Coordinates of all heavy atoms in Angstrom, one line a residue:
D1 N 180.2 104.3 178.4 CA 180.6 105.0 179.6 C 181.8 105.9 179.2 O 182.1 106.0 178.0 CB 181.1 104.0 180.7 CG 180.0 103.2 181.3 OD1 178.9 103.9 181.5 OD2 180.0 102.0 181.6
V2 N 182.4 106.5 180.2 CA 183.5 107.4 179.9 C 184.7 106.6 179.4 O 185.2 105.6 180.0 CB 184.0 108.1 181.2 CG1 185.2 109.0 180.9 CG2 182.8 109.0 181.7
G3 N 185.1 106.8 178.2 CA 186.2 106.1 177.6 C 185.8 104.8 177.0 O 186.7 103.9 176.7
C4 N 184.5 104.5 176.9 CA 184.0 103.2 176.5 C 183.2 103.4 175.2 O 182.3 104.2 175.1 CB 183.3 102.5 177.5 SG 182.4 101.0 176.9
Q5 N 183.5 102.7 174.1 CA 182.8 102.7 172.9 C 182.4 101.3 172.4 O 183.3 100.4 172.7 CB 183.5 103.5 171.8 CG 183.7 105.0 172.1 CD 184.4 105.7 170.9 OE1 185.0 105.0 170.0 NE2 184.5 107.0 170.9
G6 N 181.2 101.1 171.8 CA 180.8 99.9 171.4 C 180.3 99.9 170.0 O 180.0 101.0 169.4
Q7 N 180.2 98.8 169.4 CA 179.7 98.7 167.9 C 178.3 97.9 168.0 O 178.1 97.0 168.8 CB 180.7 97.9 167.1 CG 182.0 98.6 166.9 CD 182.0 99.8 166.2 OE1 181.1 99.9 165.2 NE2 182.8 100.7 166.5
S8 N 177.4 98.4 167.2 CA 176.1 97.7 167.1 C 175.6 97.9 165.7 O 176.3 98.5 164.8 CB 175.2 98.4 168.1 OG 173.9 97.7 168.0
K9 N 174.4 97.4 165.4 CA 173.8 97.5 164.1 C 172.3 97.9 164.3 O 171.7 97.5 165.3 CB 173.9 96.2 163.4 CG 175.3 95.8 162.9 CD 175.3 94.5 162.0 CE 176.7 94.4 161.4 NZ 176.7 93.1 160.6
Y10 N 171.7 98.5 163.3 CA 170.3 98.8 163.3 C 169.7 98.5 162.0 O 170.3 98.4 161.0 CB 170.1 100.4 163.6 CG 170.7 101.3 162.5 CD1 169.9 101.7 161.4 CD2 172.0 101.7 162.5 CE1 170.4 102.5 160.4 CE2 172.5 102.5 161.5 CZ 171.7 102.9 160.4 OH 172.1 103.7 159.4
P11 N 168.4 98.2 162.1 CA 167.6 97.8 160.9 C 167.4 99.0 159.9 O 167.2 100.0 160.4 CB 166.3 97.3 161.4 CG 166.1 97.9 162.7 CD 167.4 98.1 163.3
C12 N 167.6 98.7 158.6 CA 167.3 99.8 157.7 C 165.9 99.6 157.1 O 165.6 98.7 156.4 CB 168.4 99.6 156.5 SG 168.2 100.8 155.2
L13 N 165.1 100.6 157.5 CA 163.7 100.7 157.0 C 163.6 101.5 155.7 O 164.0 102.6 155.6 CB 162.8 101.3 158.1 CG 161.3 101.4 157.7 CD1 160.6 100.2 157.4 CD2 160.6 102.3 158.8
Q14 N 163.1 100.9 154.7 CA 162.8 101.5 153.4 C 161.4 101.7 153.1 O 160.6 100.9 153.3 CB 163.5 100.7 152.3 CG 165.0 100.7 152.3 CD 165.6 100.0 151.1 OE1 164.9 99.2 150.4 NE2 166.9 100.3 150.8
V15 N 161.0 103.0 152.7 CA 159.6 103.3 152.4 C 159.6 103.9 151.0 O 160.2 104.9 150.7 CB 159.1 104.3 153.4 CG1 157.6 104.7 153.1 CG2 159.1 103.9 154.9
T16 N 158.9 103.2 150.1 CA 158.9 103.6 148.8 C 157.5 104.2 148.6 O 156.3 103.7 149.0 CB 158.9 102.4 147.8 OG1 160.2 101.7 148.0 CG2 158.9 102.8 146.3
V17 N 157.5 105.5 147.9 CA 156.2 106.2 147.7 C 156.1 106.6 146.3 O 157.1 106.5 145.5 CB 156.3 107.5 148.7 CG1 156.2 107.2 150.2 CG2 157.4 108.4 148.3
N18 N 155.0 107.1 146.0 CA 154.6 107.5 144.6 C 154.2 109.0 144.7 O 153.3 109.4 145.4 CB 153.5 106.7 144.0 CG 153.2 107.2 142.6 OD1 154.0 107.5 141.9 ND2 151.9 107.1 142.2
L19 N 154.9 109.9 143.9 CA 154.6 111.3 143.9 C 153.3 111.5 143.0 O 153.3 111.1 141.8 CB 155.8 112.1 143.2 CG 157.0 112.2 144.1 CD1 158.2 112.8 143.3 CD2 156.8 113.0 145.4
T20 N 152.4 112.1 143.6 CA 151.0 112.2 143.0 C 151.1 113.2 141.7 O 150.5 112.8 140.7 CB 150.0 112.9 144.0 OG1 150.0 112.0 145.2 CG2 148.7 112.9 143.4
H21 N 151.9 114.2 141.8 CA 151.9 115.2 140.7 C 152.6 114.6 139.4 O 152.3 115.1 138.4 CB 152.5 116.5 141.2 CG 154.0 116.4 141.2 ND1 154.6 115.8 142.2 CD2 154.9 117.0 140.3 CE1 156.0 116.0 142.0 NE2 156.2 116.6 140.9
S22 N 153.5 113.8 139.6 CA 154.4 113.2 138.5 C 154.3 111.7 138.3 O 154.6 111.2 137.3 CB 155.8 113.6 138.7 OG 156.4 113.0 139.8
G23 N 153.7 111.0 139.3 CA 153.7 109.5 139.2 C 155.1 108.9 139.4 O 155.2 107.7 139.1
Q24 N 156.1 109.6 139.8 CA 157.4 109.1 140.0 C 157.6 108.3 141.3 O 157.0 108.7 142.3 CB 158.4 110.2 139.9 CG 159.9 109.8 140.0 CD 160.8 111.0 140.0 OE1 160.4 112.1 140.0 NE2 162.1 110.7 140.0
K25 N 158.3 107.3 141.2 CA 158.5 106.4 142.4 C 159.8 106.9 143.0 O 160.8 107.2 142.4 CB 158.6 104.9 142.0 CG 158.8 104.0 143.2 CD 158.8 102.6 142.8 CE 159.9 102.2 142.0 NZ 160.0 100.8 141.7
A26 N 159.8 107.0 144.4 CA 161.0 107.6 145.2 C 161.0 107.0 146.5 O 160.1 106.4 147.0 CB 160.8 109.1 145.2
L27 N 162.2 107.0 147.1 CA 162.4 106.6 148.5 C 162.1 107.8 149.5 O 162.6 108.9 149.3 CB 163.8 106.2 148.7 CG 164.3 104.8 148.1 CD1 165.7 104.6 148.3 CD2 163.5 103.7 148.7
L28 N 161.3 107.5 150.5 CA 160.9 108.5 151.4 C 161.9 108.5 152.6 O 162.3 107.5 153.1 CB 159.5 108.2 151.9 CG 159.0 109.2 153.0 CD1 158.8 110.6 152.4 CD2 157.6 108.6 153.6
H29 N 162.3 109.8 153.1 CA 163.2 109.9 154.2 C 162.5 110.8 155.2 O 161.6 111.5 154.8 CB 164.5 110.5 153.8 CG 165.2 109.7 152.8 ND1 166.1 108.7 153.1 CD2 165.3 109.7 151.4 CE1 166.6 108.1 152.0 NE2 166.1 108.7 151.0
Y30 N 163.1 110.7 156.5 CA 162.3 111.5 157.5 C 162.6 113.0 157.3 O 161.6 113.8 157.3 CB 162.8 111.0 158.9 CG 162.2 111.8 160.1 CD1 160.8 111.6 160.3 CD2 162.9 112.6 160.8 CE1 160.2 112.4 161.3 CE2 162.4 113.4 161.8 CZ 161.0 113.2 162.1 OH 160.4 113.9 163.1
N31 N 163.8 113.5 157.1 CA 164.2 114.9 156.9 C 165.5 115.0 156.1 O 166.0 114.0 155.6 CB 164.2 115.6 158.3 CG 165.2 115.0 159.2 OD1 166.0 114.2 158.8 ND2 165.1 115.4 160.4

């Protein structure tokens, strides 16, 4: 609310992918 702040937590989703052209493993991000 106005003048009100709270603390929370969110889950960390990790997506591991493989690049086809190089075969390198990397972490995928949305943008």
Side-chain angles (χ1 to χ4, degrees):
D1 292 322
V2 179
C4 173
Q5 292 184 351
Q7 298 291 328
S8 182
K9 291 186 177 182
Y10 66 91
C12 179
L13 174 64
Q14 291 184 344
V15 179
T16 305
V17 295
N18 181 32
L19 288 172
T20 305
H21 76 285
S22 63
Q24 181 182 2
K25 184 172 68 174
L27 285 176
L28 181 67
H29 301 274
Y30 181 67
N31 54 18

